[in-house]
Amino acid sequence: MELLSSSSPYVITKKQPFASVSAMPDRTSNAIKGPEVVRAEDETVASMGDRMSDFSWDRRDSHIDFQGLIDEAKGATESELNMTVWEAIKLYPKAAAWSVLASTALIMEGYDLVVINSFYAFPAFTEKYGVRLPDGSYSITAPWQSGLSEGAVVGEMLGLMLTGIVCDRYGYRKTITAALIMVVCFIFVTFFSTNIKMLLAGEILCGIPWGVFQTITTAYAAEVSPIALRPLLTTYVNLCWVMGQFIGSGVLRSLVNRADQWAYKIPFAIQWMWPIPLLVGMVFAPESPWWLVRKGRLNEAERSLRRLTTKGDTSFDPQKTIAMMIHTNELEKQAGAGTSYWDCFRGSDLRRTEIACMAWGIQTLAGSGIMGGASQFFVQAGLEADKAFDLTMGQYALGAFGTVSAWALMLRFGRRTLYLVGLAAMFVALMLMGVLSIPGPDNVSAVWASGAMVLIYTFLYDVTVGPVCYCLVAEISSTRLRGKTIVLARNFYNITQIFNFVLTPRMLNPTAWAWRGKAGFFWAGACALCFLWSYFRLPEPKGKTYAELDVLFKRGVPARKFACTKADPFRGDTIEARQGSIVKVMSRDFEYNQSVVYAIEKT
C-alpha cells in the first residue's frame, strides 16, 4: 500500500498493532524537552482531519490544507506565547478598547449595590417607602430591607441563567446590546416607583441585565484578547465594580443632607448616564471571533479578528490565529465538550466548573462581607457619620489602587501564587481584627485599630483575590462552555452572597449578636479553609493557551503541577497522506490505524 509519494524521504515498515494510542512508544519527545510533558491524543488530530470538508473558509488558498492548518495553528500558538504585554497592546489596541467598553457596563451594578443599601438612612427615602414609628420617625422594616437588598440578586440569578443560553445562540454583541436596552427601560420602574412593592419589582427587573453584565463582559474580554492581555482585561471588570461603588458613595455623600424626594431620585436618574452611550458603542462592536468559529462562520471570524487588531502589521497573520481557534475548538469537541449546562458537569469539565465556582465563591467565603462594616467601626469610635462616609470612599479608592497593582503582580507571579498569598495575608488581618476587638467597644483605641484592619484587609483583598478571581474564571473554563461555566460560577457566588447578607449584619449589629470585630475570628476560620482548597485544587493558568489548558485538564494533571507541566496540543510533528477520500494522520515516527500500525522511518 503506497501512502507516500516516491519522492518522500520516508519509507513505511509494517509493525504489530498496539492495543491503544496510549500504548504506543513516544518517539516525539524531541518536540518538547523535559520530564513533565503531556500531549493531545492522536485520535483528536485524526478526527479533525476527517472533518476538514465541513469547514467553509475563503482562505488565500483555494482549499483548506489540513497539514497547513495544523502548522498555522502551531505557529499562532508560539507567537502568542512569545508575545510581550507591550507587543500585545500595540497589536490589539482595538480589542482592549472594545473590551473596556463592554466591561464598563458593570459599573452600574456596583453603583446600585451601594445606593440601595445606603437609602435606608435617608430621611426622604424612609418617609416615602417606610412605616411610621411610635416616636414619629420613619423606617424601612427589616423584611423589606432584606427584600430590596436581595431583590437585585434574585434578578441577577435569573439573568445569569438566561445569558448562558441567549449568548450561545445570538453571540456576545447582540446579548450585551439587548441587556443595555433592558436596563434603560427598567430604570424607569425604580425612578417612578410610587410604593415599596413597585420599587422591589424595579430592583428585580434591573437585576436581570446586571446578571448579563456579570458574566458576558468577563467572557468577552477573555475571547477578544491574547494571552498577554487576558489578566489585564478580565480583572478590569473588578475595577469597574469598585468604580461603581466609589461613584455611588460620592453621589450619596453630596445628597446626605438633602430632605426632599430628589435625595433618592437623583441617584436613580444618574443610572441612565451609563447604558445610553454604551449602547451606541456596542452596536458597532465586533463579535467574538471564538464564538464565530464555534458557529462555523470562519469568514466572519477572520473579519472580526481584523477589526480587533492593528492594520498593516506584517508580523501578524489573522488566518493563523483563526487556524489556532479552529484547532482548539476541534480539540474540545473530540474531548467531548458540548455546549449545554449539563456538559459543565461531565468529564474534565466538572473539575473546571468546580474551580470556577470556588474561585468566585471564595470572594465571599474568605470574609469580604466584613469590608462593609468599616463605617460602623468608625462611628462606634466616635467619628461623625459624614466623616465615616468619607473614610468609606477612601476604602473604595484603596480598592481601586489595589486592582491596578494586581495587574503588575499577576504578570510577574501568576494567578495561583497571588491567590494563595492573598488568602494567607487576609487570614492574618482577620485574626488581628478579632484580637483587637477583645477589649470591647469601650476601648476606643482598640475599636480604631480594628477598623484600620478593615482597611488593610480591603487592600489585601483588592490586590489579590478580588481581581484575580475574574481572570481565573475566564481562563479555566473550556472555550465551548466558557459562558455557561461563568454563569454557574457567578450564581454560586450569588448564593454565598445571600449567606453573607444573612450572617454579617447579625455579627456586626449591637442589637443582634454584637460580635463586632470578633467576627474576624469566624471569617479567619473560613479563610483558612479557602486557603486549603486553593492549595490542592487551584491550578496556574498563566502563560497557557486555551488548547494547552484543554490538554492539561483532559490528562488530569494535578493543580500544583500545572505551572511546571508543558502541554503539546498538536501531538508532535504530523504529515498528511491521502488515499481516495480517507485522510490519515501520522507522526514522523508512527501512523495509528484501527487495524495496523506502520512505522515511518527516514531513508
Side-chain angles (χ1 to χ4, degrees):
M1 181 172 70
E2 184 68 20
L3 291 178
L4 302 179
S5 65
S6 58
S7 60
S8 172
Y10 298 89
V11 295
I12 303 177
T13 306
K14 186 173 181 180
K15 298 289 184 181
Q16 292 298 319
F18 292 95
S20 65
V21 174
S22 60
M24 294 171 59
D26 186 358
R27 296 187 184 177
T28 61
S29 58
N30 289 333
I32 299 180
K33 299 289 186 181
E36 298 290 342
V37 180
V38 293
R39 295 184 173 84
E41 299 283 357
D42 278 341
E43 303 102 308
T44 301
V45 184
S47 179
M48 183 169 66
D50 291 335
R51 290 197 297 269
M52 290 306 292
S53 59
D54 297 336
F55 301 140
S56 176
W57 186 13
D58 297 332
R59 291 168 52 88
R60 52 178 169 263
D61 303 322
S62 59
H63 67 283
I64 304 178
D65 176 72
F66 175 44
Q67 184 57 44
L69 184 141
I70 294 294
D71 291 340
E72 289 184 351
K74 196 170 185 177
T77 299
E78 293 173 352
S79 177
E80 277 215 12
L81 291 173
N82 295 326
M83 190 180 297
T84 65
V85 174
W86 179 240
E87 290 171 343
I89 292 174
K90 290 194 296 182
L91 181 58
Y92 286 87
K94 290 182 282 187
W98 287 118
S99 174
V100 167
L101 179 71
S103 299
T104 302
L106 203 60
I107 290 177
M108 289 182 287
E109 187 196 2
Y111 174 90
D112 184 80
L113 181 67
V114 169
V115 167
I116 195 65
N117 288 321
S118 299
F119 274 160
Y120 307 141
F122 271 47
F125 182 85
T126 56
E127 185 175 347
K128 173 68 176 179
Y129 299 106
V131 295
R132 187 181 179 89
L133 300 178
D135 62 0
S137 62
Y138 290 84
S139 175
I140 306 295
T141 62
W144 275 111
Q145 284 190 27
S146 299
L148 290 174
S149 297
E150 298 176 11
V153 177
V154 172
E156 288 168 3
M157 295 178 73
L158 178 60
L160 284 166
M161 299 307 294
L162 291 174
T163 301
I165 300 171
V166 175
C167 180
D168 184 63
R169 183 178 179 86
Y170 297 105
Y172 293 87
R173 184 176 64 86
K174 291 181 179 179
T175 305
I176 295 175
T177 301
L180 288 169
I181 294 174
M182 290 170 63
V183 79
V184 169
C185 298
F186 294 155
I187 291 172
F188 279 98
V189 180
T190 57
F191 184 81
F192 291 105
S193 59
T194 57
N195 55 60
I196 198 167
K197 295 178 181 178
M198 186 175 177
L199 180 61
L200 175 60
E203 285 294 310
I204 294 174
L205 290 173
C206 285
I208 295 174
W210 291 337
V212 175
F213 302 143
Q214 284 181 347
T215 57
I216 203 169
T217 53
T218 305
Y220 185 77
E223 295 204 352
V224 300
S225 58
I227 294 175
L229 293 183
R230 272 187 343 217
L232 305 184
L233 295 180
T234 52
T235 54
Y236 173 74
V237 173
N238 185 70
L239 183 60
C240 290
W241 180 285
V242 175
M243 287 193 305
Q245 293 175 318
F246 182 80
I247 294 171
S249 297
V251 170
L252 293 172
R253 175 65 179 85
S254 66
L255 299 170
V256 69
N257 295 319
R258 190 160 185 159
D260 59 5
Q261 63 174 347
W262 294 104
Y264 59 88
K265 282 188 175 289
I266 288 176
F268 283 140
I270 287 176
Q271 293 181 94
W272 274 311
M273 69 179 287
W274 304 111
I276 295 176
L278 291 176
L279 179 60
V280 174
M282 288 308 301
V283 168
F284 301 99
E287 184 54 81
S288 162
W290 283 94
W291 181 83
L292 292 168
V293 166
R294 290 194 292 272
K295 294 299 180 182
R297 295 154 60 175
L298 305 184
N299 295 326
E300 294 179 53
E302 185 179 338
R303 288 195 296 270
S304 178
L305 184 61
R306 291 183 185 276
R307 289 189 60 195
L308 293 167
T309 53
T310 302
K311 294 182 179 179
D313 192 324
T314 56
S315 63
F316 175 71
D317 187 347
Q319 291 193 344
K320 288 185 177 182
T321 302
I322 296 299
M324 178 184 68
M325 295 178 184
I326 294 173
H327 175 268
T328 302
N329 189 52
E330 292 297 316
L331 195 70
E332 293 180 0
K333 277 184 179 179
Q334 185 64 21
T339 57
S340 68
Y341 279 114
W342 176 246
D343 290 308
C344 293
F345 300 97
R346 297 174 57 190
S348 60
D349 285 304
L350 173 60
R351 181 185 175 193
R352 301 172 92 153
T353 302
E354 174 213 336
I355 293 169
C357 288
M358 283 301 299
W360 222 327
I362 282 174
Q363 279 194 330
T364 300
L365 298 176
S368 65
I370 208 167
M371 291 189 293
S375 298
Q376 187 172 350
F377 278 122
F378 294 130
V379 170
Q380 290 174 355
L383 200 64
E384 296 178 5
D386 57 343
K387 300 300 182 183
F389 221 99
D390 292 339
L391 280 178
T392 301
M393 291 181 62
Q395 178 183 351
Y396 293 133
L398 197 63
F401 175 73
T403 301
V404 175
S405 301
W407 291 346
L409 294 175
M410 270 193 296
L411 295 173
R412 176 67 178 84
F413 300 106
R415 290 56 146 166
R416 172 183 163 87
T417 300
L418 207 56
Y419 223 69
L420 290 173
V421 171
L423 287 171
M426 288 157 58
F427 169 80
V428 173
L430 289 167
M431 287 296 294
L432 289 175
M433 187 188 308
V435 171
L436 291 169
S437 297
I438 291 177
D442 295 332
N443 190 320
V444 177
S445 298
V447 173
W448 266 104
S450 186
M453 290 310 303
V454 175
L455 295 179
I456 295 173
Y457 176 92
T458 298
F459 176 76
L460 293 173
Y461 171 87
D462 281 305
V463 80
T464 56
V465 172
V468 174
C469 159
Y470 290 92
C471 185
L472 282 170
V473 297
E475 292 181 315
I476 290 300
S477 58
S478 65
T479 62
R480 292 175 61 78
L481 290 170
R482 177 174 289 120
K484 290 182 173 63
T485 302
I486 295 177
V487 164
L488 293 172
R490 186 65 187 187
N491 263 334
F492 181 74
Y493 167 85
N494 285 334
I495 293 171
T496 61
Q497 191 76 317
I498 293 174
F499 171 78
N500 177 65
F501 284 155
V502 172
L503 284 184
T504 302
R506 288 169 170 78
M507 292 178 179
L508 302 180
N509 198 312
T511 63
W513 300 345
W515 289 6
R516 296 184 174 87
K518 296 185 183 69
F521 290 128
F522 175 87
W523 292 117
C527 188
L529 294 176
C530 292
F531 178 88
L532 289 175
W533 178 90
S534 300
Y535 181 78
F536 290 105
R537 300 293 291 169
L538 186 67
E540 176 56 80
K542 177 190 174 187
K544 308 287 187 186
T545 66
Y546 295 130
E548 289 175 326
L549 290 172
D550 289 336
V551 174
L552 291 170
F553 277 109
K554 179 66 177 177
R555 293 304 185 90
V557 175
R560 287 172 289 170
K561 293 186 177 181
F562 258 58
C564 62
T565 302
K566 296 182 180 180
D568 179 11
F570 303 99
R571 192 57 177 90
D573 189 8
T574 61
I575 60 175
E576 181 189 50
R578 294 179 181 272
Q579 185 180 26
S581 61
I582 299 175
V583 177
K584 293 184 182 293
V585 182
M586 300 167 288
S587 72
R588 289 191 184 274
D589 296 295
F590 287 94
E591 172 200 3
Y592 176 68
N593 187 294
Q594 289 184 351
S595 59
V596 69
V597 173
Y598 294 89
I600 307 175
E601 301 173 351
K602 277 194 173 182
T603 57

